[in-house]
Amino acid sequence: MANDWNEKIIEEFRANRGQVESFGNAPLLILHTTGAKTGQERESPVLYRSQGDDLIVFASFAGAPVNPAWYHNLVAHPDATVELGTETRRVRARVADPEERDRLWEWNKQDYPGFGDYEEKTDRTIPVVILEPAG
């Protein structure tokens, strides 16, 4: 069912130039990854934050006990693309180091306290991924 939910969010995103009212108009991007196991292109709507030219994404998976598939895909294949509004950008992913991760995680929780709920629901440390512009 998650795929149906993702498809509806992606459809709304594209129909409304990146605005997703059903997601509270939070800043979303569509992350295009290469499947870690399949090698097939995957699309995932993901909340992001901007920091300079970098886009920061959080592998919360709503507090599930495992990381989301898109995280594993980026670790295996860090070159990806994102849809941001009506623009498409090439990015290269890197997992934040522990100090950087903690700073970015706390920053995100200040504006999106629901991420604290996700953190409480899981025993794993939720990864933070930095999507840097790829030239």
Side-chain angles (χ1 to χ4, degrees), residues 1-11 22-23 28 45:
M1 284 301 146
N3 283 344
D4 287 344
W5 182 84
N6 280 354
E7 287 176 22
K8 288 178 183 171
I9 296 294
I10 291 168
E11 187 176 297
S22 68
F23 208 74
L28 290 183

Side-chain angles (χ1 to χ4, degrees), residues 39-111:
Q40 295 179 343
E41 183 178 327
R42 304 290 185 206
E43 296 178 345
S44 305
V46 182
L47 180 133
Y48 77 94
R49 306 292 305 276
S50 293
Q51 194 164 72
D53 290 335
D54 296 339
L55 304 171
I56 315 301
V57 292
F58 307 87
S60 66
F61 209 19
V66 297
N67 291 321
W70 62 258
Y71 172 78
H72 298 289
N73 295 347
L74 287 175
V75 169
H77 305 283
D79 292 315
T81 58
V82 296
E83 291 176 55
L84 201 59
T86 59
E87 180 185 345
T88 300
R89 296 184 191 177
R90 291 182 350 163
V91 295
R92 182 158 182 91
R94 69 174 178 84
V95 178
D97 66 47
E99 182 180 311
E100 189 177 32
R101 180 252 173 233
D102 291 346
R103 179 180 54 78
L104 293 168
W105 180 255
E106 292 303 318
W107 168 64
N108 190 53
K109 282 195 317 186
Q110 289 175 9
D111 292 334

